[in-house]
Amino acid sequence: MREIGRQRRLRRPALIGLAALAAIAIGGSLTATQAQARTTAPARPADGYGGLSISKQYFGSTVEPYTGQETPTYRYTLTNANGMTIKLLTFGAITQAIDLPAANGQVADVVLGFKTLQDYVTYDSPPVTANGGPYFGETIGRYGNRIAKGTFTLDQPGGPVTYTLPINNGVNDLHGGLVGFGDHIWQTVHVINNASEVGVTLQLVSPNGDSSGAVGSPGCPNGCTGFPAKLTVDVTFTLNNENQYRIHYWAHNDSSHLNTVLNLTNHSYFNLAGENSPAGSAYSQLLYINADTYTPTDTTQIPLGYEASVFGTPFDFTNPSGTAIGARIDDVSANFNSPGYNQLLIAQGYDHNWVLNPQTAATTGPDGLNLAAHAWDPASGRELTVWTDQPGVQFYSGNFLTGTLVGISGHTYRQGAGYTFETQHFPNSPNQPSFPSTELDAGKTFTSTTIFAFNS
């Protein structure tokens, strides 16, 4: 896979306020001393939160689709000195919860999730061809987002080969098909516990032909070849005392001759007011996206193949002071710079790929990553900054949450309950030669990092 120059930016996980965000966004910069001061979250041992720690507990068992065998799952709890806690499941490599103190010390879980393993198995991404699940917190693969009509062609040693995938989202394949990476039980290959960070590396081995299906099987009326090549995927999740939740992806094409495609991402839904907040609470949170263009879609949510300007449209989140997520989400009479396609009607809100702006020195963050987005909740003071080396981010406003799912705290989730920042290559890239390539050649390795940096 071609690595898009690792766009990295100066993280601001800790105490970067709106003024600093504005300075960075409009091309200003912080001095090295300022940057150091503002990117270190103060430890708070006096509050009794303790230091870095990691623990593991049994979370139940379920059938692993690859083997058909009942297999145990586990939950890891990562905690830092600031009272931030992350709960991570080996089922689906799912981020179940992120507990984060507000400025007043009140702790809230800022991601949507389910309480039990059975809820995840039943509702998160069930193997159905329509009205699938929300993918709460999942590690998505092999291919995050949509592939048009579930088909693509790759050059192989013997010439071009066309591959077919299950149709599970209208007329398209979504997030790897009926059984994606989020439906599997990942294996722990490394536990990290040192003075700098705590975390775990989870591994999944995806076989050649993953997501294949027989003729007449669900989503495969004419049969599905699945994805080519055996793939080994390691995802390392870490938490440090700067409130950085770092997700590092490593994937190796184990085949000696087959090329494949790959698009990995995390599908956490955020609500900085807390996942149990009143319906629609996420709409009042403020958002900045570091993108001047986006990829508008057709009526099946497949990109039209060009980048459109966000300026003068409801897709403009370039104001450094932030724009409320719900400010123009219902403005279907607006201009979208996509003649003939009403983007907010098609997606019932935001569910689009923003093309991140080229990296500059002023916007380089932790691990050299590129600023993707910044969100904050004025009421609680909680902030989230997203840094990545990927060329795009899918901002999804939870449009298809309809009040039918009961979350971890016993509340139902509806529209406006949360939003995602799916750092990614673009949707349908295997069928769009002008988009950054998602091909991973035989024997090659792909790496990528995204950091979700929190502050309050």
Side-chain angles (χ1 to χ4, degrees), residues 76-426:
Y76 288 91
T77 301
L78 318 180
T79 302
N80 74 5
N82 307 312
M84 180 176 170
T85 299
I86 296 171
K87 294 178 180 176
L88 175 68
L89 308 180
T90 60
F91 177 79
I94 286 170
T95 301
Q96 182 192 24
I98 299 178
D99 294 322
L100 182 70
N104 64 3
Q106 183 175 356
V107 176
D109 180 2
V110 297
V111 294
L112 309 191
F114 293 118
K115 186 174 184 178
T116 68
L117 175 61
Q118 190 57 53
D119 283 346
Y120 279 104
V121 172
T122 304
Y123 302 117
D124 210 29
S125 52
V128 295
T129 58
N131 302 316
Y135 302 90
F136 288 152
E138 289 187 9
T139 296
I140 301 294
R142 277 194 192 191
Y143 198 95
N145 222 301
R146 294 171 177 85
I147 294 180
K149 297 181 175 56
T151 186
F152 62 94
T153 300
L154 272 180
D155 287 332
Q156 300 291 13
V161 178
T162 297
Y163 296 91
T164 53
L165 306 170
I167 302 301
N168 65 330
N169 184 252
V171 297
N172 303 314
D173 175 271
L174 175 66
H175 293 333
L178 296 179
V179 182
F181 283 4
D183 296 299
H184 290 282
I185 300 169
W186 294 57
Q187 299 303 307
T188 302
V189 296
H190 184 52
V191 174
I192 301 155
N193 188 359
N194 57 52
S196 300
E197 60 186 2
V198 290
V200 62
T201 299
L202 301 179
Q203 183 178 91
L204 188 71
V205 179
S206 171
N208 179 30
D210 204 356
S211 290
S212 62
V215 173
S217 62
C220 300
N222 300 312
C224 294
T225 64
F227 292 95
K230 177 185 174 184
L231 192 72
T232 297
V233 181
D234 288 1
V235 184
T236 300
F237 303 84
T238 59
L239 173 66
N240 62 23
N241 278 332
E242 295 178 340
N243 288 357
Q244 294 177 339
Y245 184 33
R246 181 179 186 268
I247 304 177
H248 178 72
Y249 304 91
W250 179 95
H252 183 261
N253 183 339
D254 297 335
S255 174
S256 62
H257 62 285
L258 290 175
N259 303 319
T260 193
V261 296
L262 178 70
N263 199 21
L264 302 174
T265 193
N266 177 273
H267 209 282
S268 292
Y269 291 66
F270 299 96
N271 186 329
L272 297 175
E275 61 83 31
N276 61 350
S277 299
S281 59
Y283 286 165
S284 64
Q285 293 168 30
L286 303 178
L287 175 63
Y288 168 81
I289 300 179
N290 182 32
D292 295 342
T293 61
Y294 78 109
T295 51
T297 75
D298 65 16
T299 57
T300 73
Q301 294 188 265
I302 292 295
L304 294 165
Y306 61 86
E307 298 177 15
S309 172
V310 302
F311 298 114
T313 80
F315 290 77
D316 183 359
F317 287 96
T318 60
N319 182 347
S321 297
T323 301
I325 291 169
R328 298 188 67 186
I329 199 169
D330 58 354
D331 190 0
V332 295
S333 63
N335 171 44
F336 301 103
N337 292 328
S338 59
Y341 296 93
N342 191 310
Q343 297 300 315
L344 290 178
L345 277 179
I346 290 170
Q348 301 179 35
Y350 299 111
D351 187 12
H352 295 75
N353 172 63
W354 270 255
V355 180
L356 297 181
N357 290 334
Q359 186 173 0
T360 67
T363 54
T364 297
D367 289 3
L369 297 173
N370 187 22
L371 174 65
H374 183 82
W376 57 101
D377 175 42
S380 68
R382 297 187 187 93
E383 301 181 39
L384 166 62
T385 308
V386 183
W387 307 92
T388 190
D389 54 17
Q390 292 295 281
V393 62
Q394 187 88 1
F395 175 68
Y396 170 51
S397 53
N399 314 324
F400 301 106
L401 298 177
T402 59
T404 59
L405 299 174
V406 179
I408 193 170
S409 61
H411 295 73
T412 58
Y413 295 140
R414 302 179 182 275
Q415 280 191 336
Y419 45 87
T420 74
F421 295 112
E422 302 160 55
T423 56
Q424 61 177 11
H425 276 59
F426 302 170

